[in-house]
Amino acid sequence: MVYELAARNESGVTVRLLWDSARNQVVLRYRDERGDLFVTDVPNESALTAYNHPNAYRPRGGAVTAVSGL
């Protein structure tokens, strides 16, 4: 099951912080108005930092992590 921990939408950027209980993992989802999107696992202990600074956790090379149900 996936639970939303936090979400914000400002200046055309949507950031969601999710908890994947099946994997015991925090997931960051980012989308902007240009269509740029990434979904990536973040260290559980860094959840708040990832939420506040999502681009610091952007996957290198533009790769998108596919996580079902997100």
Side-chain angles (χ1 to χ4, degrees), residues 1-52:
M1 197 112 187
V2 176
Y3 301 93
E4 186 170 82
L5 301 174
R8 62 185 165 92
N9 185 347
E10 44 190 72
S11 302
V13 174
T14 301
V15 178
R16 295 177 66 203
L17 193 62
L18 308 166
W19 173 255
D20 183 344
S21 63
R23 299 185 308 128
N24 190 32
Q25 181 63 58
V26 173
V27 179
L28 179 69
R29 186 175 191 280
Y30 172 99
R31 179 185 298 255
D32 69 25
E33 61 189 13
R34 297 171 300 159
D36 189 18
L37 165 71
F38 68 88
V39 179
T40 189
D41 292 347
V42 297
N44 294 346
E45 63 275 6
S46 299
L48 184 58
T49 302
Y51 180 71
N52 289 324

